[in-house]
């Protein structure tokens, strides 16, 4: 009885909302999946179990942040990037270490993934690079915690201007496709890329085929079917 009530609570709280601007987490992600989010295409519903895991991750981040406050090194927390027209985002913290500023982003994962983690995940590096870019802070730290054991790993990150410009160019190109109603092609590694495995648009992406196509034509096709 309680399980059903709790599951429904999470499902009701998590509603698929139409997206109308880029988030930092979109940088470097599958362009087609982001396009479909903007167009509010039907997607596979997330399980209540996964939503609870995300909630657990938020509590872990609060725990880490409280510890950093206790150390007296936090200069700002949950700080929005300066307003501009392309993307929005909020960094977990800006701290001072050895009289230098660092952007810090917290991540949590299960113990199996944590044990295998030898370097920061690419998508996490993309996000913190953009934070460093917009805050004009050339150093960052990605801090990972195991959800099961509370072990920590941290990775220092140096600002990479070439990487940032590539990410911003990718978002600008996608922004143009969204406005011109051109569905981007599938990822080069489709369907082997890890993003494909967890994508909520797997079925609709398969129906769209490999290359670019007009949004209006595809929408008419799926409405008929």
């Amino acid at each position: 009885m309680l399980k059903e009530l709790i599951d429904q609570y999470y499902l009701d709280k998590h509603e698929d909302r139409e997206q109308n601007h880029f988030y930092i987490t979109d940088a470097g992600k599958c362009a087609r999946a982001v396009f479909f989010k903007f167009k509010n295409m039907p997607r596979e519903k997330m399980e209540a179990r996964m939503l609870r895991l995300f909630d657990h991750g938020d509590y872990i981040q609060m725990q880490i942040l409280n510890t950093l406050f206790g150390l007296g090194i936090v200069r700002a927390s949950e700080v929005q990037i300066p307003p501009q027209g392309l993307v929005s985002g909020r960094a977990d913290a800006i701290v001072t270490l050895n009289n230098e500023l660092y952007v810090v982003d917290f991540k949590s994962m299960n113990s199996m993934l944590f044990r295998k983690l030898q370097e920061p995940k690419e998508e996490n590096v993309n996000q913190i690079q953009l934070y460093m870019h917009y805050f004009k802070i050339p150093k960052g730290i990605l801090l990972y915690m195991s959800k099961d054991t509370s072990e920590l790993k941290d990775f220092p990150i140096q600002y990479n201007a070439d990487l940032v410009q590539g990410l911003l160019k990718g978002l600008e190109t996608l922004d143009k496709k969204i406005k011109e109603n051109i569905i981007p092609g599938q990822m080069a590694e489709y369907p082997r890329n890890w993003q494909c495995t967890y994508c909520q648009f797997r079925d609709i992406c398969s129906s769209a085929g490999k290359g670019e196509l007009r949004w209006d034509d595809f929408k008419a096709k799926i409405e008929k079917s």
Side-chain angles (χ1 to χ4, degrees):
M1 293 174 61
L2 279 179
K3 176 189 180 302
E4 286 75 15
L5 288 173
I6 293 170
D7 283 352
Q8 195 59 51
Y9 169 81
Y10 275 91
L11 293 172
D12 290 343
K13 190 172 70 168
H14 178 79
E15 297 180 357
D16 294 330
R17 299 173 184 172
E18 187 172 353
Q19 186 169 332
N20 52 32
H21 66 277
F22 291 122
Y23 298 105
I24 288 250
T25 51
D26 292 325
K29 291 288 184 69
C30 170
R32 178 174 280 187
V34 177
F35 180 97
F36 285 151
K37 282 198 296 181
F38 268 78
K39 300 302 183 182
N40 203 26
M41 285 295 289
R43 66 192 78 175
E44 293 181 14
K45 297 294 183 182
M46 297 194 69
E47 297 179 9
R49 178 184 65 87
M50 293 300 300
L51 297 173
R52 286 195 293 274
L53 281 174
F54 293 149
D55 219 5
H56 185 204
D58 291 340
Y59 286 121
I60 289 174
Q61 292 186 8
M62 290 171 59
Q63 176 190 354
I64 295 172
L65 190 57
N66 285 337
T67 302
L68 297 184
F69 270 113
L71 291 170
I73 61 175
V74 177
R75 297 296 166 260
S77 64
E78 297 186 349
V79 53
Q80 295 281 351
I81 62 173
Q84 33 67 55
L86 184 63
V87 63
S88 67
R90 183 175 63 188
D92 290 327
I94 296 174
V95 305
T96 299
L97 294 173
N98 300 320
N99 295 317
E100 290 188 293
L101 289 175
Y102 288 79
V103 179
V104 183
D105 211 23
F106 312 140
K107 303 295 178 186
S108 58
M109 58 182 57
N110 64 49
S111 57
M112 182 181 69
L113 292 176
F114 185 86
R115 284 194 300 269
K116 295 179 179 179
L117 188 70
Q118 300 299 319
E119 59 185 16
K121 298 174 72 173
E122 180 182 2
E123 63 269 25
N124 301 152
V125 173
N126 291 341
Q127 294 168 29
I128 200 169
Q129 285 287 347
L130 287 180
Y131 287 136
M132 291 189 288
H133 174 76
Y134 285 114
F135 290 125
K136 302 187 186 305
I137 297 175
K139 293 186 177 183
I141 299 172
L142 281 167
L143 181 63
Y144 293 85
M145 176 182 270
S146 166
K147 293 180 180 179
D148 308 311
T149 66
S150 294
E151 294 175 272
L152 295 170
K153 291 181 182 179
D154 61 1
F155 299 93
I157 307 293
Q158 287 289 135
Y159 179 68
N160 184 329
D162 291 338
L163 174 57
V164 168
Q165 291 307 312
L167 293 170
L168 293 177
K169 184 177 180 181
L171 289 176
E172 290 167 356
T173 299
L174 178 54
D175 184 55
K176 184 177 180 182
K177 290 184 187 298
I178 291 169
K179 290 174 179 174
E180 295 179 352
N181 283 324
I182 302 293
I183 302 176
Q186 290 175 340
M187 302 183 71
E189 304 87 6
Y190 174 89
R192 298 179 303 278
N193 188 282
W194 68 268
Q195 295 185 59
C196 302
T197 303
Y198 299 102
C199 183
Q200 293 178 279
F201 299 103
R202 283 176 296 184
D203 291 341
I204 205 79
C205 177
S206 177
S207 299
K210 184 177 181 179
E212 292 186 352
L213 68 160
R214 296 286 309 173
W215 163 243
D216 292 336
D217 295 341
F218 181 63
K219 186 168 63 170
K221 173 186 172 182
I222 60 175
E223 285 174 351
K224 285 181 180 178
S225 62

